[in-house]
Amino acid sequence: MIINYCIAKLNKFLASQVKRPSVRYWNEPQKEDKSRDGENTGEAAVQQDRRAKKRKQKDETSKSDPFPGSAPIPKDRLQKFKRKDKITKPPRHYRKLKQVITRSEEASDLALKQAARFDLLLPEDAGFLEGDEDEDTCTISQEDIAEAVDITSGAKYFNLKLTQFGPYRVDYSKTGRLLLLGGRRGHLACFDWQTKQLMCEINVMESISDVKWLHTDSMFAVAQKQWLYVYDSNGIELHCIRKFNDVLRMQFLPYHFLLATASATSFLQYLDVSTGKEVAAICTKTGRLDVMCQNPHNAIIHLGHSNGTVTLWSPNQKEALVKMLCHQGGVRSVAVDKMGNYMVTSGMDKKLKVFDIRALKPLTSYFLPAGASCLSLSQRGLLSAATGDVVQVYRDVWSTPVTKPYMAHRVRGSVWGLQFCPFEDVLGVGHGEGFTSMLVPGAGEPNFDGLDANPYRSAKQRQEWEVKALLEKIQPELISLDPTDLGRVDRATFEQRHQEKVQSLGFDPHAKEKFVPKFKKKGRSSAGAVERRKKQVAHVDQRVIKMFATSCRINK
Amino acid sequence: MAKVSKIRKSKKRSKVAGSSSKKPPVVYDDEQEEDVCGAEEDVSSEEDDGEDERKRQKLLEAIGALGGKRKHALAERSEAAVHMSEFSMTADDEADLSDLIGTIEKTPAATAQTKKHLKNLQRSKNTVECPLSKQENERIQRDVAFQKAALEVSRWQSIITQNQRAEQLVFPLNQEPSGPKPIEQVVMGWEARTPLEKEIFSLLAANKQPILDAVLTPAEEASVKAMDLEQVKIRRAERQKARALQSYYEAKARRERKIKSKKYHKVQNKAKRKEFVKQFEELVKTDPAAALEELDKMERARMQERMSLKHQNSGKWAKSKAIMAKYDEGARKAMQQQLEVNKDLTQKLVTSLSKEEEEEEEGEGNTDMLPDFVNDAEFKQDSSNPWMRGRLSEDPTEMELKDTMDVTAEGASAVTKEAEEEEGSEAEGTEEDALLREFDSRRKQRQDQESDTSAVIVNDGDDGVEEDQVTEDKVAEISDEEEEGLSEFTRMYRGIGKSLEKDAGSKDGSAELEEGLMRIRSVDDVDLLPQETPTEPQQAPTPQHQKSAEQQPSRSRKRKKGIELREVLTKETKVIKVPLAPTVTDSEEKLDQRVLIEEAFAGDDVISDFAREKRKREDEGKPKVIDLTLPGWGEWGGLGLKPSKRKRRRFRIRTEVPPPRKDQHLPSVIISEKRNSAITPHQVSSLPFPFENPAQFESSIRTPLGRTWNTERTVKKMTKPRVVTQLGAIIEPMADEQLLKGKKKVSARRRSRNTKTRTQPAK
C-alpha cells in the first residue's frame, strides 16, 4: 500500500517535472463572452452551462491525486504501538474536561501514528533457516551453515576447547559485544567474541556458580563459592560483597541497576550497583534457589523450586507475588520472553511448558524425552533447550504446536549455560568441554536502539549512555507485576492509606492522645480559696436550713 | 391666589429638601404678619377716613423721598400691597411667573419669542424639581461611569477567553503568522508592473473579466441583475414544486417500509418482479446491450448468493426455526421458502452446454478440495477427545493403515462417490448432511490413527540398548526414515528409568498416577467413563456424531466450574521428536541426593501440597466472626447454661467480606493479595481537577512524553509550552485594534453572507 502510494507520488513528481505551460484562467477562449455581450434573455441557462465548463476545466488543470491525504498506516502496525483504549467523551457541559481530554487524545493519537509511521525506518528484517523439500532444518549442521553464509557470519560459529575447568556459565553483555565465561572450577574470562580479543583471563581459585555483566562493559559480578565478587574488565577485583553469600544464580536488571541474586540459603537479594546498597533481602523459605530468570518487561524475578512451583518476586514484597504450580517434579529451568508475555519452564517430569504469564494460564505442554536442563529465549522468541549434550532450538513454541526442533546441535559435554546473543543470530553454549558459539538464523533482533544498546558504540558514546542511564534509573519501588501501575490513580481507601502511613512512620499521627490524669496539687490554703469555700458552704448551709425548715412545715 | 401658590410652593420645597427645615416656617410667619398688617390697615381705613391716611401717606412719601431711587421702586410695586418693603422680600420669595408675564406684556421691549416662551412655561403646570444633592449626584455619575467601563471591558471578554483556552500563546500577540500565506492575500498586494502584465490587465478590465478568481464575472453578475422578476418567480415555483414532490415520495416510501404485513410485501415484490420481467423483455427487444448488462447484474447477484450463506438456513433465525420445525408447520415452510430463494438465486440462467461445463468444473473442484480435506489440521482437538482415543486404541485393524497416500486416495474416491450420490438425490438435504458428517468422522479417525501410530512407536521401544554415538552422517539417514530413528532413540532412552516410560506413555499413565493420589473424581469424569468404552465405528456412524455432540455440553459445563488443578497439570502434552539423542546425561544435577529423591517421587504430593497451601491462603482471607458474648451478663450463668440466642447474635461481630481473590479461577496459581504500598508514594492519590473519574485521568496520561518512546515531532508537540515569549520583543497590552480586527472579521462574514443571500435567487 505504502509502496503504491510512493510510486504514485513519484509519478506525480515526474509529471510535474515535464515542462508544460501552466494553464491560467485568462487563457480560456473568450468567444462566448463576446457573443453574449449583447444578449440579456436566456442568460441564466447559458451561464450555468458556462460555470459547469469552468469547473470541468478546473478539474483538468489540477490533476487529482489518486492517493489523497497522508499515507495510510497498516492496522497491525498501529496495533503494535497502541497503549490503551480511548475512553468515551464526557458530556458536553463539562467544557474544561472535554477540552483536556480531547487534547490528550489528540496527542496520544499523534504519538501512536507517528510511532507506527516511523516503524518504517527500521530497515532490517529477520530471516529464518529454510530447508529444501523433504529436508528438516534441524538436520542442517552448523558447519554447513557456516560454509553457506558470508565469512563474517561464518566466523561467528566457533568452539572453544576448555577442558580443564569444567562446565561453563555464559553471559553476553547487553550490547552483545562482550562475552563472559565462568568455569565451574574457577576459570574466568571475558573477551570480545567477534574479534576474539581477550580482555582478561584469571582463575579465581574457587568454584564459580554464576557470572553476570553489570550495566557496562567494564564490570561484571561473579558468584563464587562463598561471596559475591565484582571484577572489572581487566580482571581486577573491585568488590567482595560479604552480604551476599552462597549465591547460585544472578540476574541483572539493567534499567533499575539492580543485581538480583538467589542463594543456596533460599535468600533472594537485590543489590543496587549504582549506590552499592542492598535494596532488599527476602527469605523465600523454599530451599536451594538454583533456577532463576527475570521478566524483562516488568523486572520481576522468577524462581523455580524443587516442588514444581515457580514464584514471582519483586523487591517490594516479602512474599511471592505469584506462586504457580508448573510441574509435577522440580523445576529445572525457566525463561521469559522479551515482551513479558510468555514463560517457558522445564521440569524434572521431562516436560516443557509454555505459560501465558499475563493471564497466568498454561498454554501448551510438550514432552521432551530427555528433559531440558537449560532454557533460553532469544529476542525474537526462539527457544533453545539443552537436553544433555544436545542443544535444540524451537520456533514459535507458543503460537503453534511444535513437533520438531528448528535446529539441533550436539556439543561435547553436558550443557551448563545457555544464552542467545543480543542483536546477533548467535547462541552461546557453555558446556563441559568449553564454549560453543552456534549460528541460529532469525534469533536476534535485527534493529537495535542506538540510544539504548548500541553494539557499535564508541567509548565516548558509552560514557554518555552511562550518565543518561543513571539519570533515568528506575527506582526499585516501581517494580510491580503490572508496570503500568504507576500511571494509575491510587484508589486505596482512606483507612488503608492511613494504615500504611502508620506502618511507615511507626506511630499514628492522627491518634487521639490517651488520657493521662494530671497530678494536680490544689492550692487549698490560699486566703481567696478559703473565702470562696466558705461562701459555697454558706450557700449550701442556707439551702439546707431552708429545706429543713420547709420539711418541718410540711411535717406539721 | 398668588400667595396661596407661594405657600404651597414653599411647603413643597420643604418636603423635597427635607434637610433645610427651618426656613419655610420663617417665611410663613412673615406672610402672616403681612396679613395681619393688611387687616389692621383695613380696619383703620374704615374707622377714620381721609386725614390720617393722607398724613401717613405724606410721611411715607417724605421718607421715600429720602432714598431717591427706592422711592420709585416702591411706587412701582405699590399695586399689590401698600406696604411693600424691601425688607419683606426674602431670597426665597420668588417672583411669580404670572407677575413677570404681566409686566412683559406691558413692556414693548421684550421680544415676541421670549414672550411666547414664557407663555409656554406658564401653561405647563408641573414644577421643576430641585437639583440633587452633591453626594447623590456623584453616586449616579459613578454608576454611569462604571456601566460604561464595564461595557468597554466586556467587549474584551471573548478575546480573553479565547486566549485562556488557547493551547499556546505566543507573545507579542499580534504577529503575522509565519509560513505560506493564502494566495488571495499575496495577489491583493500585487501590482502589474511589466508592460505585458499591464496590457493583460487592461484587456481583462476592458472585457469585464474578473481579475481575482471570483465566482461570477461582472458580465454574469450584470446578467443576474438583469434577470426579470417574473422569470425568477417561475424558477422558484418550479423548484418548490420539485421539493414538495420529493418530500411526498419520501414520506410514502417511509410509510411503506414500515408496514409489517408480510403478505403485503409479498404481493408488492411479486408485482415488482413481474414488472421487471416485462421491462426486461422490452429491453431485449429495444436495447439488447442494456439487457445484457441487466443479465450481467443478475449473474453477479447469483455469484454473491453462492458466496454468501445468506439463504442457507444457517443464520440465527434459521437455527431457531430449525428447532421449531419438528412441531411447527409454518416454521418448516419458512425454512423451505428460504431454501427456495437460495435455489432461485443460484440457478444458472444459461443453456445446457454450459451446465455440463459447470458439472465438470464441480467435479474438478471436488478433486481439488480433497487434499484440503485430508490435510485438515484438527487432529490436535481429536487427540484431546477421550472418547476418540479410547475407541482407536481398541481398534487393531485400522492400526495397520499407515500410508497417508493410501488414505488420501481412499478419501478421494469416497468423496467423489458421495458427490455423485448427492447429485442423485438432491432434495434430501438432511441425508446429505448425515453423509458428510459420517465422512468427516471417518477422516478424523484416520488422522488419529496416524498420530497414534507414531505415539505407539515412541512407547514400544523394547529392543536392546544401543548406546552408539550418532554422528552427523547418521542424522540425515534418520530424517529419511523417521520412525526408525525414533525407535532407535527410544531404545537408547529405555535404560534411563521406568519413570520415563510411564511419563512417555500417553496421558493415561499420569492420569492413573493422579487417581492414586487424589481419589477424587468429579461428576463429569464419571459421565465420561462409559464413553471411554470402545464402540464400533463402522456400524453406527451417526450415533457417534450424536455422542460427540452430547459430549460438548458436558465439557462446557466443566469449563464453567473452573479448571481442575490436576487437569491443568496432566494436560495433553505433545511429544517432540528429536533428531539427535543426547549421549551425556547431566551428571551434576543427578548427583544431588535430594534432587534424585525428588525425581524418584516426582509428582508425589506436589499437587496436594499446593492445594493445601492455596486452601490455607483462602481461609486466611475469609472473614472471621468475633464472639464477644459474656456468659452471665444479664442472665443466669453457670455450668450447662448457654447465653441466649439473641444475645449471641447481638455480640457477634462479623468482619466485612473481602473482594473475591484474584486467583479464584486459576487452580494452579496463588496470587498474593497484599497491596503493593511501595509504589503508592509515586502514584496520584487524588483525582486532579477537571477529571470526573480515574479512568479519564489514566487514559489522559497513558502516552509517555519522553524521547525514548516518541518521535521528535511528537515530543515537541506534547511538551509545547503554554506561553512563549520572544526574546527581546516588547510585550504590549492588547490594543483596540485587536478588538476592531475581530469585529471586522465578523462584519465581513456577515456581509459575505448577505451577498450570498442576494445572489441565491439567481442560481
Side-chain angles (χ1 to χ4, degrees):
Chain A
M1 193 64 192
I2 284 168
I3 290 167
N4 273 347
Y5 177 80
C6 292
I7 288 168
K9 284 273 174 192
L10 192 73
N11 283 342
K12 211 180 147 195
F13 175 70
L14 287 176
S16 68
Q17 288 289 304
V18 177
K19 292 240 165 164
R20 195 188 294 159
S22 52
V23 182
R24 306 276 167 181
Y25 55 85
W26 56 76
N27 288 353
E28 70 183 79
Q30 294 175 0
K31 285 177 216 161
E32 275 182 25
D33 284 36
K34 276 174 191 167
S35 66
R36 220 192 309 128
D37 273 349
E39 293 173 12
N40 266 340
T41 53
E43 196 79 298
V46 176
Q47 179 203 329
Q48 249 183 354
D49 193 358
R50 205 185 102 74
R51 216 179 296 157
K53 255 184 197 170
K54 200 173 178 186
R55 215 175 294 136
K56 213 184 255 175
Q57 216 159 30
K58 223 180 208 174
D59 289 340
E60 276 170 16
T61 52
S62 60
K63 203 175 182 185
S64 64
D65 189 355
F67 301 98
S70 52
I73 310 165
K75 262 185 190 171
D76 54 333
R77 204 175 291 165
L78 277 178
Q79 194 62 36
K80 185 179 160 192
F81 291 97
K82 201 176 172 189
R83 285 191 189 271
K84 230 183 199 179
D85 286 330
K86 277 181 189 176
I87 45 153
T88 51
K89 271 187 187 158
R92 194 177 300 158
H93 54 275
Y94 296 124
R95 207 204 68 246
K96 184 132 192 174
L97 173 60
K98 210 182 153 200
Q99 192 185 344
V100 169
I101 283 177
T102 44
R103 263 181 206 160
S104 82
E105 282 302 334
E106 258 170 34
S108 50
D109 209 44
L110 177 76
L112 168 67
K113 275 186 183 159
Q114 288 275 310
R117 213 180 269 291
F118 280 74
D119 203 26
L120 192 73
L121 296 181
L122 302 179
E124 305 300 333
D125 205 5
F128 276 110
L129 201 59
E130 274 179 26
D132 294 335
E133 285 165 33
D134 314 326
E135 187 187 22
D136 276 336
T137 49
C138 56
T139 58
I140 299 170
S141 70
Q142 284 294 313
E143 281 82 3
D144 290 345
I145 296 171
E147 265 177 39
V149 295
D150 56 314
I151 295 172
T152 39
S153 302
K156 286 169 188 170
Y157 167 65
F158 61 90
N159 282 297
L160 297 178
K161 203 173 174 189
L162 308 161
T163 51
Q164 271 187 317
F165 299 108
Y168 280 88
R169 291 286 297 173
V170 181
D171 190 44
Y172 285 102
S173 65
K174 200 188 162 194
T175 56
R177 285 296 287 196
L178 303 181
L179 174 66
L180 184 61
L181 291 178
R184 178 109 172 129
R185 299 191 181 91
H187 181 210
L188 198 63
C190 73
F191 58 102
D192 188 331
W193 64 274
Q194 285 182 1
T195 59
K196 318 283 190 300
Q197 188 185 21
L198 189 67
M199 294 166 83
C200 80
E201 188 176 19
I202 50 170
N203 198 318
V204 296
M205 308 303 284
E206 236 181 353
S207 68
I208 289 174
S209 52
D210 202 3
V211 288
K212 209 85 203 165
W213 282 106
L214 297 185
H215 57 284
T216 62
D217 302 340
S218 58
M219 272 198 280
F220 56 86
V222 180
Q224 293 179 19
K225 193 186 175 191
Q226 218 173 356
W227 316 123
L228 178 72
Y229 289 83
V230 176
Y231 296 90
D232 79 347
S233 55
N234 297 323
I236 298 164
E237 184 186 315
L238 297 176
H239 301 287
C240 167
I241 305 160
R242 297 260 161 86
K243 253 190 175 174
F244 290 66
N245 60 323
D246 302 320
V247 174
L248 293 179
R249 288 284 177 271
M250 293 188 289
Q251 283 293 332
F252 185 68
L253 310 174
Y255 298 104
H256 302 78
F257 288 83
L258 288 181
L259 182 72
T261 61
S263 69
T265 55
S266 88
F267 265 91
L268 172 66
Q269 285 165 295
Y270 287 85
L271 176 73
D272 191 331
V273 295
S274 65
T275 58
K277 276 179 187 151
E278 190 190 42
V279 169
I282 305 161
C283 181
T284 61
K285 296 172 196 161
T286 44
R288 198 178 150 84
L289 301 173
D290 54 356
V291 179
M292 184 188 203
C293 83
Q294 64 163 304
N295 185 343
H297 177 60
N298 53 13
I300 294 286
I301 294 291
H302 292 228
L303 295 176
H305 306 289
S306 57
N307 60 355
T309 56
V310 170
T311 48
L312 274 58
W313 299 87
S314 85
N316 304 315
Q317 205 158 321
K318 294 286 177 198
E319 66 172 21
L321 300 175
V322 175
K323 192 172 188 180
M324 296 174 76
L325 183 59
C326 298
H327 289 279
Q328 278 181 307
V331 178
R332 290 179 78 182
S333 186
V334 184
V336 179
D337 85 313
K338 198 180 97 183
M339 305 299 289
N341 295 348
Y342 304 103
M343 177 175 79
V344 185
T345 62
S346 73
M348 289 287 189
D349 55 358
K350 298 195 167 48
K351 275 177 186 163
L352 182 81
K353 290 191 175 177
V354 183
F355 292 86
D356 184 349
I357 200 65
R358 292 168 300 175
L360 304 169
K361 276 178 183 163
L363 281 181
T364 45
S365 160
Y366 300 101
F367 179 75
L368 274 177
S373 61
C374 286
L375 293 175
S376 173
L377 277 164
S378 84
Q379 283 172 325
R380 286 184 58 81
L382 295 192
L383 172 73
S384 68
T387 55
D389 62 343
V390 176
V391 178
Q392 300 163 20
V393 182
Y394 298 94
R395 254 174 85 180
D396 295 337
V397 267
W398 34 77
S399 50
T400 50
V402 175
T403 51
K404 269 178 211 164
Y406 167 56
M407 289 181 76
H409 182 61
R410 183 189 300 284
V411 292
R412 293 224 175 76
S414 67
V415 177
W416 212 49
L418 201 62
Q419 202 191 0
F420 278 101
C421 180
F423 310 113
E424 292 282 352
D425 288 347
V426 165
L427 171 66
V429 184
H431 48 81
E433 301 287 298
F435 172 78
T436 304
S437 173
M438 259 176 80
L439 287 176
V440 184
E445 175 66 46
N447 298 298
F448 57 85
D449 183 353
L451 296 175
D452 183 39
N454 187 355
Y456 307 111
R457 68 188 174 193
S458 59
K460 201 78 198 162
Q461 277 173 322
R462 202 207 70 222
Q463 287 165 4
E464 281 281 315
W465 169 84
E466 197 169 344
V467 171
K468 275 179 189 157
L470 276 167
L471 286 173
E472 285 171 2
K473 177 191 156 190
I474 306 170
Q475 290 303 318
E477 290 91 63
L478 302 184
I479 297 177
S480 62
L481 211 53
D482 183 4
T484 58
D485 267 347
L486 188 63
R488 209 160 286 155
V489 177
D490 184 16
R491 282 173 229 201
T493 58
F494 174 78
E495 229 167 273
Q496 236 173 337
R497 237 179 268 163
H498 178 70
Q499 269 177 9
E500 267 157 29
K501 205 172 189 182
V502 170
Q503 228 165 26
S504 64
L505 287 175
F507 66 94
D508 188 354
H510 300 300
K512 246 189 190 176
E513 268 184 47
K514 216 177 171 188
F515 175 72
V516 181
K518 266 186 189 169
F519 179 65
K520 223 176 180 181
K521 280 180 186 166
K522 286 178 184 167
R524 281 173 181 253
S525 54
S526 77
V530 168
E531 202 55 37
R532 225 176 294 134
R533 219 177 304 142
K534 267 185 186 169
K535 245 184 194 170
Q536 259 183 359
V537 173
H539 180 68
V540 169
D541 279 354
Q542 270 181 356
R543 216 164 54 188
V544 167
I545 290 160
K546 256 187 193 170
M547 273 171 68
F548 182 72
T550 48
S551 65
C552 285
R553 222 175 292 148
I554 287 159
N555 284 345
K556 273 178 187 176
Chain B
M1 183 66 203
K3 273 183 186 173
V4 174
S5 76
K6 253 185 208 169
I7 291 160
R8 213 182 275 153
K9 205 188 280 171
S10 66
K11 266 184 187 172
K12 220 183 229 173
R13 195 183 301 147
S14 72
K15 261 183 205 167
V16 171
S19 60
S20 57
S21 54
K22 281 201 174 166
K23 272 189 177 171
V26 173
V27 172
Y28 202 70
D29 285 348
D30 280 355
E31 266 152 339
Q32 267 185 335
E33 232 174 302
E34 262 179 286
D35 280 347
V36 170
C37 285
E40 262 178 78
E41 194 193 344
D42 285 347
V43 169
S44 65
S45 65
E46 276 171 31
E47 280 178 3
D48 30 38
D49 322 307
E51 276 184 67
D52 284 342
E53 189 164 325
R54 235 172 276 151
K55 276 177 189 169
R56 209 166 61 159
Q57 197 74 26
K58 265 186 182 172
L59 181 70
L60 281 173
E61 272 172 17
I63 291 164
L66 284 173
K69 259 185 188 173
R70 201 163 286 166
K71 182 187 159 193
H72 174 73
L74 269 175
E76 262 188 355
R77 299 208 169 197
S78 60
E79 294 154 54
V82 189
H83 307 285
M84 198 67 122
S85 83
E86 59 174 340
F87 302 108
S88 65
M89 284 283 273
T90 58
D92 304 280
D93 199 11
E94 287 167 6
D96 203 342
L97 192 61
S98 56
D99 303 339
L100 289 176
I101 287 166
T103 53
I104 262 186
E105 270 169 358
K106 282 164 198 165
T107 51
T111 56
Q113 205 179 0
T114 38
K115 274 179 196 168
K116 201 179 173 186
H117 195 69
L118 284 168
K119 258 183 190 170
N120 278 342
L121 270 176
Q122 197 185 17
R123 221 174 285 144
S124 62
K125 292 281 177 187
N126 45 355
T127 53
V128 178
E129 287 189 20
C130 73
L132 293 173
S133 71
K134 192 184 168 195
Q135 287 90 341
E136 271 187 338
N137 209 359
E138 276 176 353
R139 189 189 297 153
I140 288 165
Q141 274 174 359
R142 259 181 278 133
D143 265 358
V144 171
F146 171 75
Q147 273 166 17
K148 232 183 196 176
L151 194 75
E152 182 83 357
V153 170
S154 70
R155 278 159 66 212
W156 290 94
Q157 194 57 46
S158 63
I159 287 177
I160 287 166
T161 47
Q162 200 183 320
N163 284 353
Q164 276 172 346
R165 285 180 202 173
E167 217 168 336
Q168 190 180 37
L169 281 179
V170 183
F171 287 107
L173 271 175
N174 43 359
Q175 272 178 327
E176 287 287 302
S178 62
K181 284 174 190 169
I183 191 77
E184 287 84 24
Q185 267 185 32
V186 181
V187 169
M188 284 288 244
W190 183 70
E191 271 181 68
R193 274 175 206 156
T194 57
L196 178 66
E197 283 169 357
K198 274 176 187 166
E199 200 178 332
I200 288 169
F201 273 86
S202 68
L203 261 176
L204 283 174
N207 287 320
K208 289 182 183 174
Q209 284 294 314
I211 291 166
L212 299 173
D213 198 6
V215 182
L216 297 174
T217 59
E220 281 170 347
E221 266 179 3
S223 77
V224 167
K225 273 180 193 166
M227 207 173 4
D228 61 335
L229 191 67
E230 272 179 37
Q231 230 172 351
V232 171
K233 270 183 181 171
I234 289 164
R235 289 189 132 250
R236 204 177 62 176
E238 270 174 12
R239 235 186 251 165
Q240 272 177 345
K241 194 185 170 189
R243 234 179 290 143
L245 279 177
Q246 195 184 352
S247 73
Y248 295 153
Y249 185 74
E250 275 171 5
K252 193 185 171 194
R254 225 172 283 141
R255 203 173 55 237
E256 275 176 359
R257 204 181 51 194
K258 265 190 185 172
I259 292 172
K260 279 184 181 168
S261 161
K262 278 182 185 167
K263 200 167 183 185
Y264 170 80
H265 282 292
K266 223 179 268 173
V267 170
Q268 202 85 339
N269 282 340
K270 213 168 197 178
K272 265 184 199 168
R273 223 175 295 151
K274 262 184 189 171
E275 193 143 322
F276 177 74
V277 168
K278 223 182 253 171
Q279 274 181 357
F280 183 72
E281 272 165 8
E282 249 173 56
L283 256 184
V284 167
K285 278 170 199 164
T286 55
D287 189 2
L292 258 180
E293 221 163 77
E294 282 292 314
L295 263 180
D296 201 39
K297 243 185 228 169
M298 270 145 84
E299 182 62 24
R300 189 157 295 156
R302 179 175 164 270
M303 256 145 73
Q304 260 172 2
E305 178 62 25
R306 270 156 62 90
M307 277 197 291
S308 76
L309 295 169
K310 206 172 178 188
H311 300 107
Q312 300 191 344
N313 281 350
S314 59
K316 208 194 256 177
W317 172 84
K319 272 172 193 163
S320 70
K321 285 283 169 199
I323 294 164
M324 292 300 294
K326 206 170 180 184
Y327 314 104
D328 190 6
E329 179 86 17
R332 228 175 300 159
K333 225 178 210 171
M335 284 176 72
Q336 206 68 33
Q337 260 175 357
Q338 216 190 22
L339 279 178
E340 243 164 59
V341 167
N342 181 31
K343 220 182 219 173
D344 282 352
L345 276 169
T346 51
Q347 224 168 23
K348 208 164 188 189
L349 306 158
V350 216
T351 53
S352 60
L353 197 145
S354 65
K355 230 179 203 173
E356 280 171 20
E357 276 177 10
E358 193 193 326
E359 275 174 15
E360 277 175 22
E361 274 173 17
E362 264 185 63
E364 277 169 17
N366 274 344
T367 49
D368 280 342
M369 272 173 72
L370 271 176
D372 209 354
F373 259 48
V374 172
N375 291 341
D376 205 343
E378 283 188 349
F379 114 83
K380 191 177 63 172
Q381 275 187 359
D382 291 315
S383 66
S384 68
N385 186 342
W387 175 75
M388 285 294 235
R389 222 184 303 120
R391 192 188 56 73
L392 284 166
S393 59
E394 301 298 280
D395 207 338
T397 52
E398 293 204 343
M399 295 269 272
E400 290 162 18
L401 286 168
K402 279 174 193 170
D403 200 353
T404 51
M405 287 305 289
D406 270 7
V407 171
T408 52
E410 253 190 38
S413 62
V415 168
T416 44
K417 268 178 205 166
E418 266 157 29
E420 282 163 19
E421 281 170 18
E422 277 170 34
E423 280 187 2
S425 57
E426 272 183 23
E428 297 279 320
T430 50
E431 275 193 18
E432 275 175 32
D433 278 8
L435 279 168
L436 273 174
R437 272 177 224 139
E438 188 190 340
F439 179 71
D440 263 17
S441 63
R442 259 192 236 158
R443 182 163 29 92
K444 277 172 190 170
Q445 284 164 29
R446 264 175 226 125
Q447 279 170 349
D448 269 28
Q449 283 153 30
E450 284 163 39
S451 65
D452 264 32
T453 47
S454 60
V456 162
I457 286 165
V458 171
N459 293 341
D460 303 346
D462 284 4
D463 299 32
V465 184
E466 281 185 359
E467 287 283 342
D468 294 347
Q469 273 225 330
V470 185
T471 55
E472 307 288 293
D473 301 340
K474 246 186 180 176
V475 172
E477 241 176 71
I478 286 162
S479 70
D480 286 340
E481 297 176 314
E482 213 178 60
E483 286 163 18
E484 271 184 34
L486 275 168
S487 61
E488 201 177 67
F489 127 79
T490 40
R491 247 177 275 139
M492 286 171 192
Y493 254 89
R494 206 188 56 89
I496 290 172
K498 278 181 185 176
S499 59
L500 181 146
E501 244 184 18
K502 259 186 195 170
D503 276 334
S506 59
K507 182 196 168 190
D508 305 10
S510 57
E512 273 170 32
L513 192 131
E514 230 58 73
E515 229 180 319
L517 287 171
M518 309 282 284
R519 287 185 194 169
I520 306 161
R521 285 213 136 194
S522 65
V523 184
D524 301 317
D525 287 16
V526 175
D527 284 344
L528 288 176
L529 266 176
Q531 286 173 352
E532 279 178 59
T533 55
T535 51
E536 285 164 29
Q538 299 295 339
Q539 283 180 350
T542 40
Q544 267 181 35
H545 176 72
Q546 281 173 4
K547 270 191 180 176
S548 62
E550 280 169 17
Q551 211 172 312
Q552 276 178 343
S554 75
R555 205 181 294 158
S556 67
R557 228 188 303 144
K558 204 190 285 172
R559 197 164 296 149
K560 267 178 201 168
K561 268 187 174 181
I563 315 157
E564 295 281 316
L565 185 55
R566 57 206 180 80
E567 274 168 31
V568 170
L569 275 178
T570 58
K571 221 184 143 197
E572 192 60 33
T573 56
K574 284 143 209 116
V575 179
I576 292 174
K577 299 160 194 167
V578 190
L580 300 173
T583 50
V584 183
T585 53
D586 340 65
S587 53
E588 275 81 14
E589 296 196 23
K590 289 280 160 63
L591 276 174
D592 195 340
Q593 187 74 19
R594 209 172 47 79
V595 173
L596 244 178
I597 293 165
E598 202 90 75
E599 197 187 16
F601 296 98
D604 212 28
D605 55 351
V606 164
I607 298 167
S608 54
D609 270 354
F610 189 84
R612 210 177 303 133
E613 195 187 338
K614 181 158 185 181
R615 213 172 307 127
K616 203 176 133 197
R617 290 287 194 86
E618 278 168 1
D619 290 342
E620 273 172 16
K622 271 176 191 164
K624 281 161 203 150
V625 178
I626 305 163
D627 199 357
L628 289 175
T629 45
L630 281 173
W633 270 88
E635 281 169 345
W636 286 106
L639 270 176
L641 280 175
K642 269 188 178 173
S644 69
K645 209 179 255 176
R646 203 186 112 263
K647 198 176 205 184
R648 262 184 290 159
R649 207 186 305 136
R650 186 77 200 283
F651 287 98
R652 193 176 288 170
I653 296 165
R654 279 192 189 83
T655 46
E656 263 182 51
V657 181
R661 284 180 70 85
K662 281 179 246 168
D663 52 12
Q664 207 178 11
H665 302 295
L666 299 166
S668 63
V669 177
I670 301 172
I671 299 174
S672 164
E673 293 284 317
K674 252 189 193 168
R675 213 169 89 84
N676 180 14
S677 59
I679 205 171
T680 47
H682 304 282
Q683 275 177 323
V684 173
S685 57
S686 59
L687 207 59
F689 156 57
F691 297 103
E692 281 177 309
N693 51 33
Q696 283 171 353
F697 175 65
E698 280 161 16
S699 99
S700 78
I701 59 164
R702 73 174 189 270
T703 310
L705 304 176
R707 283 194 162 73
T708 319
W709 300 276
N710 288 314
T711 59
E712 194 60 32
R713 206 179 120 202
T714 322
V715 172
K716 271 196 181 149
K717 172 98 199 291
M718 287 200 289
T719 57
K720 213 159 66 170
R722 270 229 57 197
V723 173
V724 177
T725 53
Q726 271 190 342
L727 203 67
I730 299 165
I731 300 168
E732 279 169 345
M734 277 193 283
D736 278 344
E737 293 159 29
Q738 204 87 0
L739 252 182
L740 285 176
K741 246 187 221 169
K743 266 194 180 170
K744 257 183 199 169
K745 266 182 207 167
V746 171
S747 62
R749 223 174 293 147
R750 207 168 290 154
R751 216 179 302 141
S752 70
R753 213 177 297 147
N754 286 344
T755 53
K756 264 182 202 169
T757 49
R758 234 194 309 127
T759 52
Q760 230 160 21
K763 283 176 192 174

